[in-house]
Amino acid sequence: MSDHSPLSDAEFDDAIADALGTIPSPLQGILDNVVFLVADEPPEDEPELLGMYDGVPLTERDDVWGGDLPDRITLFRGPLSRMCASREELVDEIGVTVLHEVAHYFGIDEERVHALGWG
């Protein structure tokens, strides 16, 4: 963030928790076996990536799917912090990024995510 201190680890985690709280209750009820992680930077080949969903979307699971490992949603502190000019803007962008990645968990493709205004 230009001219501003980045969020502390605890503040960043709180912003993620706040963003999760904005997910509609019916969807929260089926958001299962997902962990949220924070990494400083994304992979080198995607330096501006804000977040990444890694798992099997609900729409691609069948009756025999038995994945025990949780799906992962990783938020990248560096790009998120660099693109925002204030703490408020950063907290808002974390919220948008969380919704964007949760949408992928539910099987919503990139085009639809953008059409919904989630990134």
Side-chain angles (χ1 to χ4, degrees), residues 64-112:
V64 295
W65 184 83
D68 293 330
L69 293 176
D71 290 3
R72 292 180 308 248
I73 293 176
T74 304
L75 302 176
F76 300 108
R77 180 188 312 275
L80 283 163
S81 296
R82 287 190 294 274
M83 75 176 292
C84 299
S86 69
R87 286 176 177 270
E88 181 178 287
E89 190 177 325
L90 178 56
V91 169
D92 288 345
E93 190 58 44
I94 289 169
V96 169
T97 303
V98 165
L99 286 175
H100 182 115
E101 301 309 327
V102 166
H104 291 316
Y105 167 84
F106 287 113
I108 300 172
D109 67 20
E110 198 70 25
E111 183 177 310
R112 181 73 177 134

Side-chain angles (χ1 to χ4, degrees), residues 23-32 58 99 102-103 105-106 108 118:
I23 297 169
S25 295
L27 295 181
Q28 284 183 16
I30 57 176
L31 188 63
D32 185 41
L58 291 182
L99 286 175
V102 166
Y105 167 84
F106 287 113
I108 300 172
W118 297 340

